[in-house]
Amino acid sequence: LSYTMTGGNCWHVSANDKVGEDYTTLSTRLRTTGQVSSFRFTLTGGNKFTPQGTAYVALVEGTVTNAAKFTGIKLEISRSRYAIHECNADSSCVVVKEVAHDEPTQWDEHTEFWVSLEREGLSGRLKMGRGDKAPQGGNDNGVIQWLVSEASSAKVDHVAASTSKYSGTLSVQAIC
């Protein structure tokens, strides 16, 4: 996994599709505890002749390098579903919310997503939207949302991204 600056405080993440789900946090800090977090990302690639793989964006507590496990939240974007996972570095990730969709990313197009995480009591309200660079107003709940537990959301402060094994050229074009 490598990342490079793409301008405007954005990073390109080239995942190794021979390994899959190999997370290294980006060098920028997402937020400090208690703040609202928001960022956007763009997916590109895949292969028009083979099934699209799955892209993952993780909100991680602390920093990780080439990690398979972490504490935090994992967003999944696959050909047929969006999912939110709550993760613990001592065990694994558990799907807490999933939503089916019929709009897979296109291999020759850029697909925009946005993410926000805001404190709500002791937990964090996580929202992910598609097609725009930011929510379209205060009532925009995106394509998936979930009230993530305090254990998974309270201390996340970095972002990482990866793709599934054999995902072809599917990549996170930019995280901003």
Side-chain angles (χ1 to χ4, degrees):
L1 176 68
S2 65
Y3 60 87
T4 54
M5 290 289 288
T6 59
N9 292 324
C10 297
W11 288 262
H12 170 75
V13 179
S14 299
N16 180 349
D17 74 336
K18 303 286 188 273
V19 177
E21 287 206 66
D22 181 34
Y23 297 92
T24 298
T25 48
L26 303 176
S27 59
T28 188
R29 190 174 179 92
L30 177 63
R31 67 175 184 162
T32 56
T33 303
Q35 289 182 323
V36 173
S37 312
S38 60
F39 62 94
R40 61 187 167 89
F41 64 96
T42 306
L43 295 181
T44 60
N47 185 324
K48 66 179 178 178
F49 301 112
T50 60
Q52 173 194 317
T54 301
Y56 302 98
V57 174
L59 287 75
V60 179
E61 181 181 320
T63 58
V64 295
T65 303
N66 298 326
K69 292 184 178 183
F70 57 87
T71 297
I73 307 160
K74 179 170 67 172
L75 295 164
E76 173 186 328
I77 301 95
S78 75
R79 182 171 205 79
S80 61
R81 78 173 188 167
Y82 303 116
I84 297 172
H85 305 244
E86 291 190 19
C87 302
N88 183 311
D90 295 329
S91 56
S92 63
C93 294
V94 175
V95 174
V96 292
K97 174 78 178 215
E98 63 182 325
V99 174
H101 71 86
D102 58 1
E103 295 182 78
T105 57
Q106 299 299 312
W107 70 274
D108 59 346
E109 295 178 7
H110 294 255
T111 305
E112 299 280 348
F113 292 88
W114 57 264
V115 176
S116 71
L117 176 62
E118 185 173 353
R119 293 291 281 173
E120 193 171 303
L122 296 175
S123 303
R125 174 72 57 187
L126 180 74
K127 299 176 184 178
M128 182 179 76
R130 178 180 174 158
D132 296 304
K133 293 183 178 183
Q136 301 300 299
N139 293 329
D140 188 349
N141 290 322
V143 293
I144 189 169
Q145 69 164 322
W146 184 252
L147 188 60
V148 181
S149 71
E150 179 184 19
S152 295
S153 68
K155 296 181 182 177
V156 296
D157 57 1
H158 286 83
V159 176
S162 188
T163 58
S164 60
K165 195 170 183 177
Y166 308 120
S167 59
T169 60
L170 180 68
S171 69
V172 180
Q173 181 66 26
I175 295 180
C176 307

mmCIF file of all heavy atoms in Angstrom, residues 109-131:
data_model
loop_
_atom_site.group_PDB
_atom_site.id
_atom_site.type_symbol
_atom_site.label_atom_id
_atom_site.label_comp_id
_atom_site.label_asym_id
_atom_site.label_seq_id
_atom_site.Cartn_x
_atom_site.Cartn_y
_atom_site.Cartn_z
ATOM 1 N N GLU A 109 -15.128 5.581 -14.545
ATOM 2 C CA GLU A 109 -15.633 6.838 -14.004
ATOM 3 C C GLU A 109 -15.116 7.055 -12.584
ATOM 4 O O GLU A 109 -14.745 6.119 -11.903
ATOM 5 C CB GLU A 109 -17.164 6.834 -13.957
ATOM 6 C CG GLU A 109 -17.823 6.768 -15.311
ATOM 7 C CD GLU A 109 -19.339 6.714 -15.214
ATOM 8 O OE1 GLU A 109 -19.879 6.868 -14.098
ATOM 9 O OE2 GLU A 109 -19.975 6.511 -16.257
ATOM 10 N N HIS A 110 -15.157 8.311 -12.153
ATOM 11 C CA HIS A 110 -14.858 8.671 -10.772
ATOM 12 C C HIS A 110 -16.181 8.710 -10.015
ATOM 13 O O HIS A 110 -17.147 9.287 -10.496
ATOM 14 C CB HIS A 110 -14.214 10.061 -10.694
ATOM 15 C CG HIS A 110 -12.866 10.112 -11.330
ATOM 16 N ND1 HIS A 110 -11.708 10.157 -10.592
ATOM 17 C CD2 HIS A 110 -12.480 10.125 -12.618
ATOM 18 C CE1 HIS A 110 -10.684 10.197 -11.404
ATOM 19 N NE2 HIS A 110 -11.123 10.184 -12.647
ATOM 20 N N THR A 111 -16.232 8.094 -8.850
ATOM 21 C CA THR A 111 -17.439 8.111 -8.032
ATOM 22 C C THR A 111 -17.112 8.784 -6.712
ATOM 23 O O THR A 111 -16.240 8.333 -5.970
ATOM 24 C CB THR A 111 -17.965 6.682 -7.783
ATOM 25 O OG1 THR A 111 -18.146 6.027 -9.045
ATOM 26 C CG2 THR A 111 -19.290 6.719 -7.042
ATOM 27 N N GLU A 112 -17.817 9.878 -6.422
ATOM 28 C CA GLU A 112 -17.575 10.681 -5.222
ATOM 29 C C GLU A 112 -18.386 10.160 -4.033
ATOM 30 O O GLU A 112 -19.543 9.766 -4.190
ATOM 31 C CB GLU A 112 -17.983 12.141 -5.462
ATOM 32 C CG GLU A 112 -17.243 12.836 -6.569
ATOM 33 C CD GLU A 112 -15.876 13.317 -6.141
ATOM 34 O OE1 GLU A 112 -15.574 13.316 -4.923
ATOM 35 O OE2 GLU A 112 -15.098 13.687 -7.034
ATOM 36 N N PHE A 113 -17.764 10.187 -2.852
ATOM 37 C CA PHE A 113 -18.421 9.860 -1.602
ATOM 38 C C PHE A 113 -18.030 10.894 -0.555
ATOM 39 O O PHE A 113 -16.965 11.494 -0.658
ATOM 40 C CB PHE A 113 -17.989 8.475 -1.087
ATOM 41 C CG PHE A 113 -18.467 7.330 -1.921
ATOM 42 C CD1 PHE A 113 -17.720 6.884 -2.998
ATOM 43 C CD2 PHE A 113 -19.656 6.681 -1.620
ATOM 44 C CE1 PHE A 113 -18.151 5.822 -3.784
ATOM 45 C CE2 PHE A 113 -20.088 5.613 -2.393
ATOM 46 C CZ PHE A 113 -19.334 5.186 -3.477
ATOM 47 N N TRP A 114 -18.862 11.097 0.448
ATOM 48 C CA TRP A 114 -18.515 11.931 1.593
ATOM 49 C C TRP A 114 -18.813 11.155 2.865
ATOM 50 O O TRP A 114 -19.648 10.247 2.884
ATOM 51 C CB TRP A 114 -19.257 13.272 1.583
ATOM 52 C CG TRP A 114 -20.762 13.174 1.545
ATOM 53 C CD1 TRP A 114 -21.554 13.239 0.445
ATOM 54 C CD2 TRP A 114 -21.657 12.964 2.651
ATOM 55 N NE1 TRP A 114 -22.877 13.092 0.784
ATOM 56 C CE2 TRP A 114 -22.970 12.935 2.142
ATOM 57 C CE3 TRP A 114 -21.483 12.825 4.025
ATOM 58 C CZ2 TRP A 114 -24.090 12.751 2.946
ATOM 59 C CZ3 TRP A 114 -22.597 12.637 4.838
ATOM 60 C CH2 TRP A 114 -23.879 12.603 4.295
ATOM 61 N N VAL A 115 -18.108 11.503 3.930
ATOM 62 C CA VAL A 115 -18.267 10.839 5.223
ATOM 63 C C VAL A 115 -18.290 11.909 6.313
ATOM 64 O O VAL A 115 -17.498 12.859 6.264
ATOM 65 C CB VAL A 115 -17.107 9.861 5.498
ATOM 66 C CG1 VAL A 115 -17.218 9.254 6.891
ATOM 67 C CG2 VAL A 115 -17.064 8.769 4.443
ATOM 68 N N SER A 116 -19.168 11.748 7.290
ATOM 69 C CA SER A 116 -19.136 12.620 8.474
ATOM 70 C C SER A 116 -19.336 11.756 9.720
ATOM 71 O O SER A 116 -20.065 10.769 9.698
ATOM 72 C CB SER A 116 -20.193 13.722 8.396
ATOM 73 O OG SER A 116 -21.488 13.195 8.558
ATOM 74 N N LEU A 117 -18.645 12.148 10.764
ATOM 75 C CA LEU A 117 -18.767 11.489 12.067
ATOM 76 C C LEU A 117 -18.907 12.596 13.102
ATOM 77 O O LEU A 117 -18.025 13.432 13.242
ATOM 78 C CB LEU A 117 -17.533 10.639 12.368
ATOM 79 C CG LEU A 117 -17.492 9.964 13.739
ATOM 80 C CD1 LEU A 117 -18.645 8.972 13.901
ATOM 81 C CD2 LEU A 117 -16.160 9.259 13.943
ATOM 82 N N GLU A 118 -20.034 12.593 13.807
ATOM 83 C CA GLU A 118 -20.328 13.647 14.766
ATOM 84 C C GLU A 118 -20.742 13.027 16.087
ATOM 85 O O GLU A 118 -21.485 12.043 16.116
ATOM 86 C CB GLU A 118 -21.464 14.519 14.221
ATOM 87 C CG GLU A 118 -21.788 15.714 15.060
ATOM 88 C CD GLU A 118 -22.805 16.628 14.397
ATOM 89 O OE1 GLU A 118 -23.159 16.408 13.227
ATOM 90 O OE2 GLU A 118 -23.252 17.557 15.069
ATOM 91 N N ARG A 119 -20.251 13.586 17.184
ATOM 92 C CA ARG A 119 -20.627 13.097 18.512
ATOM 93 C C ARG A 119 -22.130 13.214 18.705
ATOM 94 O O ARG A 119 -22.745 14.203 18.333
ATOM 95 C CB ARG A 119 -19.938 13.899 19.613
ATOM 96 C CG ARG A 119 -18.454 13.738 19.691
ATOM 97 C CD ARG A 119 -18.013 12.405 20.132
ATOM 98 N NE ARG A 119 -18.109 12.237 21.570
ATOM 99 C CZ ARG A 119 -17.900 11.093 22.151
ATOM 100 N NH1 ARG A 119 -17.603 10.031 21.462
ATOM 101 N NH2 ARG A 119 -17.979 10.997 23.448
ATOM 102 N N GLU A 120 -22.707 12.167 19.275
ATOM 103 C CA GLU A 120 -24.128 12.166 19.624
ATOM 104 C C GLU A 120 -24.223 11.425 20.951
ATOM 105 O O GLU A 120 -24.240 10.194 20.973
ATOM 106 C CB GLU A 120 -24.935 11.469 18.524
ATOM 107 C CG GLU A 120 -26.418 11.691 18.645
ATOM 108 C CD GLU A 120 -27.171 11.181 17.425
ATOM 109 O OE1 GLU A 120 -26.874 11.624 16.301
ATOM 110 O OE2 GLU A 120 -28.071 10.342 17.624
ATOM 111 N N GLY A 121 -24.216 12.183 22.046
ATOM 112 C CA GLY A 121 -24.114 11.565 23.366
ATOM 113 C C GLY A 121 -22.722 10.979 23.511
ATOM 114 O O GLY A 121 -21.731 11.613 23.177
ATOM 115 N N LEU A 122 -22.642 9.740 23.977
ATOM 116 C CA LEU A 122 -21.348 9.080 24.096
ATOM 117 C C LEU A 122 -20.921 8.409 22.795
ATOM 118 O O LEU A 122 -19.773 8.029 22.638
ATOM 119 C CB LEU A 122 -21.394 8.034 25.217
ATOM 120 C CG LEU A 122 -21.629 8.580 26.624
ATOM 121 C CD1 LEU A 122 -21.763 7.433 27.612
ATOM 122 C CD2 LEU A 122 -20.501 9.519 27.032
ATOM 123 N N SER A 123 -21.854 8.251 21.869
ATOM 124 C CA SER A 123 -21.588 7.555 20.614
ATOM 125 C C SER A 123 -21.250 8.546 19.505
ATOM 126 O O SER A 123 -21.129 9.738 19.746
ATOM 127 C CB SER A 123 -22.805 6.722 20.224
ATOM 128 O OG SER A 123 -23.135 5.820 21.256
ATOM 129 N N GLY A 124 -21.127 8.049 18.292
ATOM 130 C CA GLY A 124 -20.863 8.905 17.150
ATOM 131 C C GLY A 124 -21.801 8.564 15.999
ATOM 132 O O GLY A 124 -21.970 7.392 15.654
ATOM 133 N N ARG A 125 -22.428 9.572 15.404
ATOM 134 C CA ARG A 125 -23.312 9.372 14.254
ATOM 135 C C ARG A 125 -22.455 9.404 13.001
ATOM 136 O O ARG A 125 -21.888 10.417 12.641
ATOM 137 C CB ARG A 125 -24.380 10.453 14.206
ATOM 138 C CG ARG A 125 -25.267 10.444 12.978
ATOM 139 C CD ARG A 125 -26.256 9.308 12.927
ATOM 140 N NE ARG A 125 -27.117 9.292 14.089
ATOM 141 C CZ ARG A 125 -27.985 8.318 14.346
ATOM 142 N NH1 ARG A 125 -28.113 7.301 13.507
ATOM 143 N NH2 ARG A 125 -28.727 8.358 15.428
ATOM 144 N N LEU A 126 -22.360 8.263 12.318
ATOM 145 C CA LEU A 126 -21.574 8.143 11.098
ATOM 146 C C LEU A 126 -22.515 8.150 9.901
ATOM 147 O O LEU A 126 -23.508 7.416 9.897
ATOM 148 C CB LEU A 126 -20.773 6.835 11.100
ATOM 149 C CG LEU A 126 -19.911 6.610 9.867
ATOM 150 C CD1 LEU A 126 -18.692 7.515 9.893
ATOM 151 C CD2 LEU A 126 -19.484 5.157 9.774
ATOM 152 N N LYS A 127 -22.210 8.976 8.915
ATOM 153 C CA LYS A 127 -23.004 9.036 7.686
ATOM 154 C C LYS A 127 -22.066 8.979 6.498
ATOM 155 O O LYS A 127 -20.991 9.566 6.522
ATOM 156 C CB LYS A 127 -23.799 10.344 7.611
ATOM 157 C CG LYS A 127 -24.788 10.543 8.727
ATOM 158 C CD LYS A 127 -25.461 11.904 8.619
ATOM 159 C CE LYS A 127 -26.374 12.166 9.779
ATOM 160 N NZ LYS A 127 -26.995 13.508 9.691
ATOM 161 N N MET A 128 -22.490 8.271 5.453
ATOM 162 C CA MET A 128 -21.743 8.249 4.202
ATOM 163 C C MET A 128 -22.721 8.512 3.064
ATOM 164 O O MET A 128 -23.780 7.894 2.994
ATOM 165 C CB MET A 128 -21.060 6.898 3.969
ATOM 166 C CG MET A 128 -20.233 6.874 2.679
ATOM 167 S SD MET A 128 -19.396 5.304 2.375
ATOM 168 C CE MET A 128 -20.772 4.294 1.831
ATOM 169 N N GLY A 129 -22.359 9.439 2.190
ATOM 170 C CA GLY A 129 -23.188 9.769 1.045
ATOM 171 C C GLY A 129 -22.448 9.515 -0.248
ATOM 172 O O GLY A 129 -21.229 9.379 -0.263
ATOM 173 N N ARG A 130 -23.184 9.471 -1.343
ATOM 174 C CA ARG A 130 -22.603 9.178 -2.654
ATOM 175 C C ARG A 130 -23.058 10.227 -3.667
ATOM 176 O O ARG A 130 -24.189 10.689 -3.617
ATOM 177 C CB ARG A 130 -23.051 7.797 -3.117
ATOM 178 C CG ARG A 130 -22.524 7.436 -4.492
ATOM 179 C CD ARG A 130 -22.982 6.074 -4.937
ATOM 180 N NE ARG A 130 -22.562 5.844 -6.310
ATOM 181 C CZ ARG A 130 -22.425 4.668 -6.845
ATOM 182 N NH1 ARG A 130 -22.699 3.594 -6.141
ATOM 183 N NH2 ARG A 130 -22.043 4.528 -8.088
ATOM 184 N N GLY A 131 -22.161 10.560 -4.580
ATOM 185 C CA GLY A 131 -22.522 11.433 -5.684
ATOM 186 C C GLY A 131 -22.213 12.893 -5.470
ATOM 187 O O GLY A 131 -22.285 13.684 -6.394
#
